[in-house]
Amino acid sequence: MTESKKSADSATRPVLDPDAELSDATRKVLRQALEDPGRYVGRPANPLWAAVPLLARGGAGVAVAGVVWWWTGGLEIADPAADSSSLVGTLDRKLQEAVDMAHTLLSMWPLAVGVVALLCAGLIADRALYNGQLRRLAAVQQHLVHPRDLTAEAQEFLARARRAMTAVLDSRVHRERWLDAQRNEAAFPRQEWAIAQDLRNYSRVARKHHRAPQETDNATVAELLASRRRVLATSLHGIERRVAALEAYASQVAEADARYAEVREIERLDAGSDELLDLLARTTVDDLAVAEIEALTDEAAVVASTFTKALESAKLAAAAALPLQGAA
């Protein structure tokens, strides 16, 4: 997936409360609704209405078939006493055969009644199932924060938090368990949910504030508006600090990743250097050779030390970004 697609997904994906107790059926419906937003629309309706169109059309067709069957049952076109060798007699006989065949076929109209009833029952059951899915989605909305619930500014903060957490989870030091991967995987969903909730609360108040008149000649009202702006700014600043802590953590993890890549490269080069060092030692034992060998060893030690420091910095950043309770 490209970076632009990841950003688009991050911007449009709702946030689900990780502690919500949802059944497997509800989670399945929720996943389908998120993948296809147009799949579940509208409100639950009486299931019987789902069968009305088919019942009207199918019932009318079956009724017509029954009437025609009854009518053709007593219809006599060909006169038994007529000369069947004449042209008129032949035509009458063929017509009578056609009518008799139609009557035989239409005698199955009771079976058609059963088919229509079965299809109507299927439509009613399908609508009842759909109603249940709609109710599950309605009940789960309290455990979701949708992008539409957030202002554009709040959406950007949420996207920044998601990018930082994704960067940590995608890092090599996380995948290879140099960091506390279990803590990251447990704390990040709760961090995302807490930030999303706070951003939703901020967005709700901010929208009300923006709808109110911003210019007034009344000093008291003006002071109240200014106070509301300060409260909103303070609230958003608190959320921004948490997002910045996550970004600092992601930055430290990226640094540790870079240092780790250096360590792995040094290890790869060192794995093939034994023969070179043996050759150098056998060739000369002067101070230059000794210094060359020591330099190679010291270089590997410095890189390893740098990685250790970068890893420790990442762990300290994790402690700041992910408090132990995981919900701050």
Side-chain angles (χ1 to χ4, degrees), residues 13 59 87 94 106 128 148 154 162 239 247 255 272-273 294 310:
R13 177 172 56 84
L87 179 60
K94 293 294 185 184
L106 290 172
R148 62 173 177 267
R162 281 174 163 170
I239 299 172
E247 290 176 330
E255 178 66 19
S273 63
E294 290 178 347

Side-chain angles (χ1 to χ4, degrees), residues 289-305:
V290 174
E292 186 71 20
I293 296 172
E294 290 178 347
L296 290 172
T297 304
D298 292 343
E299 182 179 355
V302 168
V303 173
S305 175

Side-chain angles (χ1 to χ4, degrees), residues 59-72:
V62 170
V64 170
V67 170
V68 174
W69 170 81
W70 171 80
W71 177 63
T72 56

Side-chain angles (χ1 to χ4, degrees), residues 118-138:
L118 186 62
L119 291 175
C120 287
L123 289 174
I124 292 172
D126 184 67
R127 181 66 207 196
L129 177 63
Y130 186 74
N131 284 346
Q133 293 170 334
L134 288 178
R135 292 190 183 97
R136 287 193 183 97
L137 284 177

Side-chain angles (χ1 to χ4, degrees), residues 87-220:
L87 179 60
V88 173
T90 301
L91 290 176
D92 287 346
R93 183 167 53 81
K94 293 294 185 184
L95 209 60
Q96 184 66 56
E97 290 175 356
V99 169
D100 292 342
M101 183 179 293
H103 178 74
T104 302
L105 293 175
L106 290 172
S107 65
M108 300 176 65
W109 69 268
L111 180 61
V113 171
V115 172
V116 170
L118 186 62
L119 291 175
C120 287
L123 289 174
I124 292 172
D126 184 67
R127 181 66 207 196
L129 177 63
Y130 186 74
N131 284 346
Q133 293 170 334
L134 288 178
R135 292 190 183 97
R136 287 193 183 97
L137 284 177
V140 83
Q141 294 307 309
Q142 61 180 321
H143 300 293
L144 286 175
V145 174
H146 289 272
R148 62 173 177 267
D149 298 332
L150 309 179
T151 63
E153 188 177 24
Q155 289 182 24
E156 177 57 29
F157 277 111
L158 180 59
R160 284 172 54 188
R162 281 174 163 170
R163 286 194 294 268
M165 289 183 282
T166 300
V168 173
L169 296 177
D170 288 345
S171 67
R172 188 171 181 179
V173 291
H174 170 84
R175 294 196 307 271
E176 297 189 11
R177 305 289 173 171
W178 288 96
L179 300 174
D180 191 346
Q182 185 175 2
R183 181 185 179 189
N184 287 340
E185 291 163 1
F188 278 169
R190 292 179 173 84
Q191 280 284 327
E192 182 182 20
W193 173 247
I195 290 173
Q197 278 188 305
D198 290 345
L199 288 172
R200 179 173 59 185
N201 294 335
Y202 164 82
S203 298
R204 182 173 60 251
V205 177
R207 283 168 174 161
K208 289 181 179 178
H209 174 72
H210 291 319
R211 285 195 295 267
Q214 300 299 307
E215 299 293 337
T216 179
D217 295 331
N218 188 301
T220 303

